[in-house]
């Protein structure tokens, strides 16, 4: 039998490619048992047929010449057109045949592209298409199909592909249609089979019940010391269904989530797992924790996704022998994380949300959710607009995808909990016991008059007494000013205007040895695993302060530690926090000082949070409602299988308010790394700034654009142009970006050392 090719580099036969796809098909069948609860057709039969039939059109004799590097008359048509007649000849029910036709036809290009760029350019009638189809080696294809059982065809029926596209375009399937979910899941599953087969993936890992053995080991170790799991952990290990967990910081919420997960999988079976966190630093830390070979699931079963993944991996593979080797390792791991290879992913909610916005590949992403398990940690960290999107996502997951959800928090307003309970269709709430909350009393509020910046002598006194001090400011400018004034105390400064390389270095310093004085912004309150003796902080909303306090006496080994909060705030703070929220927070802290001698009773935090946040403020409520309604409308009317929209991509990405620039002092290093084709290393040097600030600095010529030409053998002109922006403001690894620096001349690398 003539061996038809499916791919040219490396040469892969059509039979090999089909068999590779069927390997993935068999793994999907085991990994997604909940499919049968959602669709009514014989899903796995149709998916198998899709894998077998989708590339048969590559049997066109001219396309085979292309794959073999021979002279050919292939007109850059679409090979999937020529697969259709074989599909149309299958003895299937009309709805099954229609589904399979659509999946095969749309597996590379959108229907809009197929019509505008291919059908109209190549075929004017059914007869034109039949004439071209006659060049397909049907005899060899029939011989190939004999390798597979479950169907029989020995002749083909030819329908003009334009008619299939026309039917789809006049009868577009939206989420309101009963067949929408079937279209989506079948297409998503097929794309996984095709892409993983093309990447020569041979195995998809699963979390088995035995994968959780480290939890039992931990419990045995606790019992040997006279302890045990907390009651809320034991409860989560037995509860089925969607749950909201409320427990103090440091009370083992991660283990609680994993105990809940084990119970769900024991009852419902396989499903992919998504552990969501709001910040990249906490995602990186959770990945390292869960992928630990002894204390977690091991690295083959855990992946992560976030916008700074390349930066993390660049640092992770720093010992690679060369730039090329480093890039190869990064690409390999990123591919594993982005595919179905790993059964558990740690990620931001935006990595999930992008799929319900309908971004390219959303069908694959949503398929992966089927019967999945979703853990939302630090749910309190999102603003009203993002929270609205998360509520829509939770409704989608629980109502359409048979997903199970656990939501975890230390402090959350009751009105937010009500929204969450409504979204997940459950009122089940697991709470830590009052006795445990009593054990977690560890902070004393001390309200101070005036501004933090006018009371730095207090900080110096504590440092001289040998105490480890944390200082948190509300703005980067204020943190930098405070750092300058306390510079003789050898502090470490952390905020959001460092580039990735310097931020990673600072987090490494903290992981090895915490400095006696750490100064920063809210970047400290949300992402770092640190433990200080006391904190001095500018006024902030109560929930933000609680997060900041959580970095003091974290291990509860220091008795009751002081948390100093200044009543007054800088003028610039009004752009960050609403005055009404700050007033309510100070009022609550005053009450704590009067009633409890300043000691924060963890058990009372819920009441305090509800006093400060009885509901969204007016602006937040408007943002929540408008965002929620707009996304619901978009899903119901625009989330169409086989289509993705540039407009929806713009809607999704415009919420990320940042543009990356190269500080002038780092431009020589940036260009040097580009010359070594070390693109990730070059990107590590950039600093992100807000779009509004970017526009202002462009206007006053603080920013200019530049480019670097590199050799690229596969480009027609042999070159690739790397465009970038240079920021003529001072920057150094100690202070970060000095935004208010007026000097805008270019600096050489040594001028800021």
């Amino acid at each position: 039998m003539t061996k038809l090719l499916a791919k040219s580099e490396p040469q892969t036969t059509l039979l090999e490619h089909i068999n590779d796809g069927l390997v993935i098909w068999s793994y999907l069948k085991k990994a997604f048992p909940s499919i049968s609860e959602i669709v009514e057709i014989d899903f796995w039969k149709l998916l198998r047929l899709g894998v077998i039939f989708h590339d048969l059109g590559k049997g066109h004799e001219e396309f085979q010449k292309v794959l073999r590097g021979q002279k050919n008359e292939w007109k850059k048509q679409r090979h999937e057109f020529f697969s259709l007649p074989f599909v149309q000849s299958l003895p299937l029910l009309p709805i099954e045949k229609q589904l399979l036709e659509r999946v095969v036809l749309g597996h590379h290009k959108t229907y809009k592209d197929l019509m505008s760029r291919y059908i109209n350019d190549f075929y004017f009638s059914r007869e034109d298409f039949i004439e071209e189809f006659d060049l397909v080696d049907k005899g060899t294809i029939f011989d190939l199909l004999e390798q597979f059982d479950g169907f029989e065809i020995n002749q083909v029926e030819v329908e003009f592909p334009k008619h299939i596209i026309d039917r789809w375009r006049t009868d577009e399937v939206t989420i309101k249609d009963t067949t929408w979910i079937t279209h989506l899941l079948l297409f998503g599953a097929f794309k996984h089979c095709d892409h993983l087969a093309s990447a020569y993936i041979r195995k998809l890992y699963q979390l088995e019940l035995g994968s959780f053995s480290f939890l039992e080991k931990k419990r045995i170790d606790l019992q040997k010391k006279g302890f045990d799991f907390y009651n809320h952990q034991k409860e989560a290990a037995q509860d089925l269904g969607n749950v909201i967990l409320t427990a103090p910081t440091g009370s083992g919420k991660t283990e609680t989530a994993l105990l809940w997960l084990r119970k769900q999988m024991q009852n419902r079976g396989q499903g992919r797992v998504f552990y969501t966190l709001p910040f990249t630093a906490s995602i990186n830390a959770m990945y390292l924790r869960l992928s630990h070979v002894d204390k977690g699931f091991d690295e083959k079963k855990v992946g992560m996704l976030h916008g700074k993944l390349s930066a993390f991996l660049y640092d992770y593979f720093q010992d690679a022998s060369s730039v090329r080797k480093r890039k190869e390792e990064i690409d390999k791991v990123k591919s594993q994380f982005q595919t179905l290879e790993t059964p558990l992913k740690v990620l931001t909610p935006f990595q999930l949300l992008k799929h319900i916005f309908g971004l390219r590949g959303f069908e694959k992403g949503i398929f992966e959710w089927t019967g999945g398990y979703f853990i939302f940690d630090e749910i309190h960290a999102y603003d009203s607009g993002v929270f609205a999107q998360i509520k829509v996502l939770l409704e989608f997951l629980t109502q359409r995808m048979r997903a199970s959800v656990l939501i975890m928090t230390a402090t959350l307003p009751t009105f937010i909990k009500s929204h969450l309970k409504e979204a997940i269709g459950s009122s089940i709430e697991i709470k830590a016991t009052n006795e445990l909350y009593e054990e977690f009393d560890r902070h004393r509020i001390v309200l101070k008059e005036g501004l933090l910046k006018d009371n730095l002598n207090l900080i110096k006194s504590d440092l001289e007494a040998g105490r480890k001090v944390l200082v948190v400011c509300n703005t980067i400018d204020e943190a930098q000013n405070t750092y300058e004034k306390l510079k003789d105390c050898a502090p470490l400064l952390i905020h959001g205007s460092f580039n990735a390389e310097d931020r990673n270095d600072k987090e490494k310093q903290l992981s090895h040895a915490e400095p006696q004085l750490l100064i920063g912004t809210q970047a400290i309150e949300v992402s770092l695993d640190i433990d200080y003796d006391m904190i001095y902080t500018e006024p902030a909303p109560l929930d933000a302060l609680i997060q900041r306090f959580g970095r003091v006496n974290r291990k509860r080994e220091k008795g009751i530690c002081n948390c100093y909060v200044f009543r007054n705030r800088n003028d610039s703070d009004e752009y960050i926090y609403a005055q009404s929220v700050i007033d309510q927070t100070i009022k609550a802290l005053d009450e704590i000082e009067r009633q409890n001698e300043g000691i924060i009773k963890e058990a009372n935090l819920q009441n305090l949070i509800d006093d400060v946040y009885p509901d969204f403020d007016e602006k937040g409520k408007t943002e929540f409602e408008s965002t929620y309604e707009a996304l619901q409308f978009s899903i119901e009317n625009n989330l169409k299988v086989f289509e993705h929209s540039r407009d929806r991509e713009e809607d999704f990405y415009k919420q990320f308010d940042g543009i990356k620039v190269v500080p002038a002092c780092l431009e020589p290093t940036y260009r040097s790394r580009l010359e070594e084709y070390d693109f990730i290393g070059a990107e590590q040097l950039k600093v992100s700034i807000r779009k509004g600030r970017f526009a202002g600095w462009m206007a006053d010529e603080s920013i200019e654009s530049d480019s670097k030409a590199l050799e690229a053998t596969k480009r027609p002109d042999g070159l690739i142009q790397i465009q970038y922006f240079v920021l003529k403001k001072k920057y150094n690894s100690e202070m970060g970006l000095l935004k208010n620096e007026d000097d805008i001349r270019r600096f050489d690398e040594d001028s800021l050392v």
Side-chain angles (χ1 to χ4, degrees):
M1 180 177 75
T2 303
K3 289 187 177 181
L4 298 175
L5 293 182
K7 300 190 178 298
S8 57
E9 292 183 8
Q11 280 201 352
T12 305
T13 69
L14 186 53
L15 180 60
E16 288 170 338
H17 180 57
I18 292 171
N19 282 328
D20 289 344
L22 291 177
V23 168
I24 303 302
W25 171 83
S26 67
Y27 275 111
L28 295 188
K29 195 172 181 180
K30 296 174 184 175
F32 295 93
S34 296
I35 288 287
S36 59
E37 301 174 21
I38 298 177
V39 301
E40 298 180 358
I41 62 164
D42 190 339
F43 183 90
W44 299 110
K45 178 189 79 173
L46 279 190
L47 180 59
R48 177 175 178 268
L49 290 174
V51 172
I52 295 171
F53 279 74
H54 76 285
D55 270 354
L56 296 184
K58 289 182 176 179
H60 190 293
E61 62 183 45
E62 296 302 325
F63 191 73
Q64 285 296 302
K65 292 177 183 177
V66 172
L67 294 177
R68 297 178 191 280
Q70 300 171 352
K71 186 176 180 180
N72 63 83
E73 296 182 7
W74 180 250
K75 304 169 186 175
K76 295 187 178 179
Q77 306 162 75
R78 297 306 314 171
H79 65 267
E80 49 267 41
F81 289 158
F82 306 118
S83 301
L84 279 178
F86 299 100
V87 173
Q88 291 157 349
S89 304
L90 283 165
L92 298 172
L93 296 174
I95 182 60
E96 293 178 324
K97 188 176 294 187
Q98 182 185 70
L99 282 164
L100 198 55
E101 287 174 349
R102 289 174 171 176
V103 166
V104 168
L105 185 57
H107 80 271
H108 280 303
K109 300 290 183 181
T110 66
Y111 276 23
K112 181 179 179 180
D113 280 348
L114 289 173
M115 180 64 81
S116 62
R117 297 175 56 190
Y118 298 99
I119 289 287
N120 293 337
D121 288 348
F122 291 109
Y123 318 113
F124 297 100
S125 66
R126 178 173 179 269
E127 287 69 29
D128 289 337
F129 178 72
I130 290 175
E131 181 178 345
E132 194 68 31
F133 180 71
D134 285 341
L135 298 177
V136 175
D137 187 350
K138 291 176 279 293
T140 302
I141 289 175
F142 287 139
D143 290 340
L144 181 150
L145 291 176
E146 289 181 359
Q147 309 294 311
F148 308 100
D149 56 16
F151 59 88
E152 182 177 347
I153 63 171
N154 49 32
Q155 60 181 4
V156 293
E157 303 171 9
V158 181
E159 181 180 8
F160 192 15
K162 180 179 184 298
H163 296 161
I164 298 173
I165 298 174
D166 284 339
R167 283 198 298 271
W168 173 254
R169 296 177 73 187
T170 57
D171 185 29
E172 289 181 329
V173 178
T174 68
I175 201 169
K176 300 172 186 176
D177 297 291
T178 56
T179 63
W180 177 85
I181 192 67
T182 304
H183 276 86
L184 184 144
L185 293 180
L186 187 63
F187 189 55
F190 169 77
K191 294 281 276 187
H192 279 298
C193 290
D194 191 31
H195 290 176
L196 291 171
S198 297
Y200 303 101
I201 303 300
R202 296 292 185 270
K203 182 174 183 178
L204 304 183
Y205 293 94
Q206 296 186 9
L207 290 184
E208 309 290 352
L209 293 181
S211 302
F212 295 84
S213 59
F214 66 93
L215 291 173
E216 285 308 312
K217 181 180 178 182
K218 178 161 187 171
R219 187 176 189 185
I220 291 170
D221 290 342
L222 284 170
Q223 290 172 338
K224 287 179 180 178
K225 299 174 183 177
F227 301 102
D228 200 350
F229 283 153
Y230 295 123
N231 285 346
H232 61 271
Q233 294 176 315
K234 295 176 184 177
E235 190 176 346
Q238 298 301 320
D239 275 0
L240 290 171
N242 303 325
V243 172
I244 296 176
L245 168 69
T246 305
T249 301
S251 63
K253 288 198 292 293
T254 300
E255 286 78 12
T256 307
L258 299 179
L259 288 164
W260 170 86
L261 174 62
R262 182 179 66 179
K263 181 63 176 179
Q264 309 314 302
M265 298 189 80
Q266 185 179 30
N267 183 65
R268 295 192 56 196
Q270 284 295 314
R272 270 9 204 183
V273 183
F274 303 87
Y275 196 121
T276 71
L277 285 158
F279 305 105
T280 56
S282 47
I283 290 173
N284 294 342
M286 186 61 68
Y287 164 74
L288 294 173
R289 178 176 180 177
L290 296 180
S291 62
H292 193 282
V293 68
D294 295 319
K295 300 177 183 179
F297 297 106
D298 87 46
E299 61 184 9
K300 292 181 180 178
K301 297 184 178 181
V302 182
M304 66 172 166
L305 294 172
H306 58 69
K308 299 177 182 177
L309 179 57
S310 292
F312 172 84
L313 294 174
Y314 187 83
D315 187 63
Y316 191 81
F317 292 113
Q318 61 179 314
D319 295 331
S321 56
S322 65
V323 169
R324 181 176 180 179
K325 181 64 176 176
R326 200 180 207 178
K327 184 179 184 303
E328 288 174 354
E329 293 289 346
I330 290 172
D331 290 345
K332 178 182 176 182
V333 172
K334 283 183 69 174
S335 175
Q336 291 171 349
F337 290 176
Q338 290 166 351
T339 68
L340 278 170
E341 281 189 82
T342 53
L344 188 157
K345 290 185 175 72
V346 191
L347 69 177
T348 68
F350 298 107
Q351 297 293 330
L352 301 172
L353 285 167
K354 66 183 181 181
H355 298 313
I356 59 175
F357 272 79
L359 274 61
R360 185 186 298 271
F362 73 90
E363 300 95 343
K364 287 173 62 180
I366 293 178
F367 170 80
E368 198 172 349
W369 300 349
T370 309
Y373 303 101
F374 292 78
I375 298 165
F376 285 80
D377 199 355
E378 298 186 22
I379 194 71
H380 58 268
Y382 306 102
D383 63 33
S384 55
V386 174
F387 179 71
Q389 295 178 31
I390 290 175
K391 183 178 181 182
V392 174
L393 173 65
L394 290 170
E395 291 171 345
F396 190 96
L397 291 171
T398 54
Q399 295 172 16
R400 298 184 181 278
M401 306 309 301
R402 299 294 195 276
S404 298
V405 176
L406 172 69
I407 298 170
M408 301 191 294
T409 183
T411 54
L412 199 63
T414 295
F415 80 93
I416 292 290
K417 283 186 182 178
S418 297
H419 278 291
L420 292 171
K421 290 176 181 179
E422 181 182 28
I424 64 177
S426 172
S427 59
I428 299 175
E429 187 172 354
I430 298 175
K431 295 181 179 180
T433 63
N434 288 333
E435 293 77 13
L436 182 63
Y437 274 111
E438 290 290 335
E439 293 179 23
F440 274 76
D441 292 345
R442 52 189 161 161
H443 300 130
R444 176 185 289 109
I445 289 293
V446 182
L447 282 167
K448 304 294 290 184
E449 299 296 334
L451 297 169
L452 185 152
K453 65 183 178 182
D454 296 330
N455 289 274
L456 301 185
N457 59 310
L458 299 176
I459 297 171
K460 289 183 177 180
S461 295
D462 283 317
L463 291 170
E464 290 169 0
R467 300 183 182 97
K468 288 173 58 185
V469 182
L470 176 63
V471 177
V472 182
C473 302
N474 292 332
T475 65
I476 293 173
D477 290 343
E478 201 59 42
Q480 289 172 328
N481 291 335
T482 303
Y483 175 86
E484 273 292 319
K485 293 174 182 177
L486 294 173
K487 199 168 183 179
D488 58 341
C489 301
L492 181 68
L493 176 65
I494 286 190
H495 54 67
S497 283
F498 286 102
N499 63 28
E501 186 163 278
D502 290 331
R503 176 63 187 248
N504 286 341
D505 287 343
K506 290 176 181 292
E507 290 183 7
K508 280 183 184 178
Q509 290 180 52
L510 280 173
S511 65
H512 290 110
E514 294 172 359
Q516 187 183 4
L517 175 60
L518 177 63
I519 300 171
T521 61
Q522 56 265 41
I524 286 175
E525 81 190 38
V526 297
S527 61
L528 299 178
D529 184 10
I530 51 179
D531 192 2
Y532 276 76
D533 298 336
M534 56 180 33
I535 181 174
Y536 287 86
T537 174
E538 294 182 325
L542 183 59
D543 55 334
L545 289 178
I546 291 169
Q547 291 301 310
R548 295 178 188 186
F549 300 163
R551 273 58 195 167
V552 172
N553 198 10
R554 192 170 179 83
K555 299 175 182 177
R556 296 181 293 131
E557 297 172 345
K558 303 170 183 178
I560 302 295
C561 292
N562 288 342
C563 298
Y564 295 93
V565 181
F566 287 87
R567 292 179 180 272
N568 300 92
R569 63 181 191 160
N570 300 294
D571 293 340
S572 58
D573 289 1
E574 66 179 282
Y575 301 107
I576 304 174
Y577 302 125
Q579 183 64 50
S580 60
V581 174
I582 299 300
D583 290 342
Q584 284 295 106
T585 296
I586 297 297
K587 181 180 177 182
L589 298 181
D590 270 326
E591 189 71 17
I592 293 172
E593 275 199 312
R594 284 196 302 270
Q595 290 189 357
N596 304 318
E597 298 180 346
I599 296 175
I600 300 175
K601 308 297 290 183
E602 293 277 339
N604 295 338
L605 281 179
Q606 185 65 59
N607 292 333
L608 293 172
I609 287 289
D610 287 337
D611 287 342
V612 175
Y613 297 103
D615 201 344
F616 290 119
D617 60 26
E618 186 175 344
K619 179 182 177 182
K621 189 171 186 177
T622 299
E623 184 177 30
F624 173 83
E625 291 175 350
S626 61
T627 303
Y628 179 84
E629 292 171 4
L631 186 53
Q632 284 278 34
F633 179 86
S634 178
I635 290 172
E636 291 176 3
N637 295 277
N638 300 321
L639 196 61
K640 300 171 184 176
V641 189
F642 313 119
E643 289 188 20
H644 60 269
S645 164
R646 183 174 297 276
D647 290 339
R648 291 201 296 274
E649 289 192 21
E650 290 177 357
D651 288 342
F652 178 75
Y653 286 114
K654 72 182 180 182
Q655 63 189 306
F656 305 108
D657 185 22
I659 297 175
K660 290 187 174 183
V661 297
V662 181
C665 62
L666 298 178
E667 188 185 11
T669 306
Y670 177 81
R671 293 178 70 89
S672 176
R673 290 184 181 181
L674 289 180
E675 289 169 359
E676 296 174 358
Y677 294 86
D678 183 6
F679 300 117
I680 298 175
E683 196 71 13
Q684 291 273 80
L685 300 175
K686 290 183 178 179
V687 179
S688 182
I689 59 176
R690 291 185 291 106
K691 293 177 183 176
R693 191 182 293 274
F694 177 88
W697 281 346
M698 282 290 286
D700 70 14
E701 298 183 348
S702 295
I703 293 176
E704 63 181 33
S705 61
D706 207 337
S707 65
K708 174 72 176 175
L710 300 173
E711 291 185 9
T713 56
K714 293 185 178 181
R715 298 288 291 251
D717 59 0
L719 293 173
I720 181 172
Q721 290 286 341
I722 306 295
Q723 304 288 333
Y724 62 92
F725 295 105
V726 179
L727 173 62
K728 296 178 285 184
K729 294 278 185 180
K730 284 187 177 181
Y731 177 93
N732 62 36
S733 59
E734 181 184 6
M735 296 280 286
L737 179 63
L738 296 167
K739 298 176 182 177
N740 293 330
E741 178 59 50
D742 292 329
D743 191 349
I744 61 170
R745 65 180 175 84
R746 281 185 183 264
F747 299 91
D748 61 41
E749 256 190 304
D750 297 326
S751 64
L752 296 177
V753 175

